[in-house]
Amino acid sequence: MTIQNVMVIGAGQMGAGIAQVFAQAGLQVKLNDMKQEALDKGLSGIEKRLARAVEKGKMTDGEQKEAFARLSGTTKLEDASDCDLVIEAVVESMDVKESVFKRLDEITPKHAILATNTSSLPITEIAAVTNRPDQVIGMHFMNPVPVMKLVEIIRAIQTSDETYQAIEDMTKRLNKSPVEVEDFPGFVSNRILMPMINEAIYTVYEGVASPEDVDTVMKLGMNHPMGPLTLADFIGLDTCLYIMEVLHEGFGDSKYRPCPLLRKYVKAGWLGKKSGRGFYSYE
Ligand code: CAA
Ligand code: NAD
């Protein structure tokens, strides 16, 4: 199957980055969000990043214009009716994702592959709400998408080999490195990363050290590019909490219990960089 027309659903930090890399790789991309404001923000962010790439000499002015011309924005999910591939990157909630996949199953052509960028939710369960579970798959990009090389490709129990191969080929076409993963809570990336972040939050909660000092230990002591609390703010504390809840429920093991301080911050609306406040202030 040739994939040429793509829709990315959700124009937040992940969706906008995913749309950008597809457009740069020569595909026609529709970026969708239910909020016009989020869509405008997503598209203007892509334009700025492409302009910066030209300034840095990483692409020509012509390449930048061509990439941006391949992108369009829409608030109508129905515009996926001519798409060969859809990548969903909306909020990390099973209810929301299931309703998006049910609608996509009705709207998109029969051959279309439906992929989700979920960080942790079961792909098998998302696939089961469609009439094409063999064409549903996890395509998990890392943040920031234009920079990070990895894509975890997660097979639902129903995913066909043809679907897997098409997504592996597409990942390579995007100049990213695929890793094949089975459908278990948190996959590989977040099963390992998120308990470390949660433990860093417990360290602050228990008064062992300040957020700055916890981050300094991991940056200077372990050579991490960002400390775990800076990274948590960057990912979004709501997303971190959703992922810990999926791990906790999925494995039934108390070692994955989300730190009460993380819950408190999310309840306060302190979601990290995207809301202006998390473990650090961004105002
Ligand atoms: N979007 C796009 N590009 C960005 C960016 C962003 N938000 N932030 C930085 N960049 C680009 C810069 O433009 C720059 O590009 P060039 O090399 O082309 O000039 C490059 O990244 C390096 O940026 P900086 O020099 O400004 O900053 P840095 O060296 O500190 O790197 C970083 C920034 C790449 C984000 C680095 O700090 C890093 O790797 N952090 C860890 C990121 C990480 O762990 N991501 C995974 C999160 S977990 C996940 O995604 C899975 C999940 O489900 C939650
Ligand atoms: P975000 O909050 O930045 O963006 C989500 C966007 O989806 C918002 O603009 C919202 O308006 C839109 N949206 C919500 N419901 C919608 C619907 N029904 N239809 C259309 N648009 C809708 O979130 P994000 O950080 O980009 O995360 C998106 C997904 O990617 C989540 O599943 C998350 O777990 C996953 N993910 C996040 C990261 C990360 O570091 N933040 C990394 C990898 C994967």
Side-chain angles (χ1 to χ4, degrees):
M1 196 216 349
T2 315
I3 296 175
Q4 194 45 41
N5 294 317
V6 177
M7 180 180 270
V8 179
I9 304 178
Q13 52 179 341
M14 294 306 289
I18 295 168
Q20 179 185 332
V21 296
F22 273 92
Q24 283 181 260
L27 290 113
Q28 293 294 328
V29 189
K30 292 175 191 173
L31 181 59
N32 166 276
D33 203 289
M34 60 182 187
K35 292 187 195 146
Q36 184 65 47
E37 199 190 335
L39 189 55
D40 294 343
K41 194 174 163 206
L43 287 169
S44 74
I46 297 172
E47 199 171 12
K48 275 190 213 131
R49 284 196 297 274
L50 290 176
R52 217 173 311 132
V54 174
E55 276 167 29
K56 286 181 182 165
K58 298 203 163 173
M59 71 192 318
T60 67
D61 197 37
E63 283 165 348
Q64 179 237 318
K65 288 204 171 79
E66 276 171 30
F68 199 66
R70 283 192 283 271
L71 260 170
S72 59
T74 176
T75 53
K76 293 196 211 100
L77 209 57
E78 291 71 27
D79 288 339
S81 61
D82 64 350
C83 287
D84 311 306
L85 168 64
V86 179
I87 299 115
E88 166 280 313
V90 306
V91 62
E92 187 76 343
S93 145
M94 190 51 120
D95 289 349
V96 179
K97 292 201 193 282
E98 283 190 357
S99 81
V100 169
F101 273 75
K102 276 185 196 154
R103 287 285 294 127
L104 286 174
D105 196 29
E106 291 162 3
I107 294 166
T108 55
K110 289 261 168 297
H111 72 270
I113 293 177
L114 308 181
T116 171
N117 183 54
T118 178
S119 294
S120 60
L121 293 166
I123 316 295
T124 301
E125 205 175 318
I126 296 173
V129 303
T130 72
N131 291 312
R132 59 179 99 184
D134 54 319
Q135 288 163 233
V136 176
I137 193 160
M139 193 176 189
H140 185 207
F141 290 84
M142 301 294 125
N143 189 8
V145 180
V147 179
M148 308 305 275
K149 293 294 280 181
L150 177 73
V151 176
E152 266 187 317
I153 306 181
I154 305 110
R155 279 178 181 269
I157 198 165
Q158 310 96 318
T159 307
S160 69
D161 289 343
E162 291 73 22
T163 301
Y164 178 82
Q165 199 53 55
I167 295 303
E168 189 185 276
D169 293 347
M170 179 52 68
T171 300
K172 290 178 181 161
R173 189 170 160 194
L174 300 176
N175 201 21
K176 306 259 181 221
S177 302
V179 170
E180 183 178 351
V181 176
E182 293 300 327
D183 189 18
F184 272 82
F187 318 131
V188 172
S189 54
N190 283 318
R191 183 171 175 169
I192 297 173
L193 174 69
M194 222 28 91
M196 182 196 71
I197 287 178
N198 196 47
E199 203 58 36
I201 301 172
Y202 266 112
T203 312
V204 172
Y205 178 61
E206 290 168 7
V208 179
S210 67
E212 289 82 356
D213 286 347
V214 170
D215 277 352
T216 300
V217 167
M218 298 307 286
K219 268 172 59 178
L220 302 188
M222 284 80 192
N223 249 1
H224 289 197
M226 281 174 167
L229 300 164
T230 304
L231 183 56
D233 275 359
F234 180 60
I235 291 168
L237 300 185
D238 50 344
T239 302
C240 293
L241 179 57
Y242 289 135
I243 297 169
M244 283 312 298
E245 278 169 345
V246 168
L247 292 172
H248 196 204
E249 201 192 310
F251 290 116
D253 189 328
S254 64
K255 76 177 175 182
Y256 297 111
R257 70 216 177 283
C259 178
L261 189 60
L262 176 60
R263 285 192 194 285
K264 206 178 237 186
Y265 274 37
V266 172
K267 283 210 178 92
W270 297 355
L271 307 182
K273 208 171 171 192
K274 67 181 165 188
S275 75
R277 179 166 186 177
F279 289 98
Y280 298 95
S281 174
Y282 302 88
E283 256 126 38

